[in-house]
Amino acid sequence: MTTPEQRQQEDALERGEVFQDAEGHRTRDPGAGAAHADSEADRNAEHLARGEVGPGVPEE
């Protein structure tokens, strides 16, 4: 069961008032949200370049 505070936070996320990356970091600053997304994309590209795959992805 979610608390009213948790519901309020989820509503803000859905409305785009809060940004969250895949690691769960949240911010109200769109610039920081974009920076988190960029750094996450860079990390993912590095993993793929090394041939690492994520969970649920079959290895070839």
Side-chain angles (χ1 to χ4, degrees), residues 2-26:
T2 60
T3 66
E5 182 179 305
Q6 290 170 323
R7 185 68 218 155
Q8 184 180 16
Q9 290 175 1
E10 293 304 316
D11 287 345
L13 186 61
E14 290 174 11
R15 288 190 303 267
E17 297 170 358
V18 175
F19 304 92
Q20 177 176 323
D21 65 11
E23 296 175 346
H25 301 118
R26 291 186 177 188

Side-chain angles (χ1 to χ4, degrees), residues 10-58:
E10 293 304 316
D11 287 345
L13 186 61
E14 290 174 11
R15 288 190 303 267
E17 297 170 358
V18 175
F19 304 92
Q20 177 176 323
D21 65 11
E23 296 175 346
H25 301 118
R26 291 186 177 188
T27 181
R28 290 191 181 272
D29 177 17
H36 287 182
D38 287 343
S39 66
E40 184 177 330
D42 291 342
R43 282 193 307 275
N44 288 341
E46 290 171 11
H47 289 291
L48 291 173
R50 290 192 298 261
E52 298 175 4
V53 297
V57 178

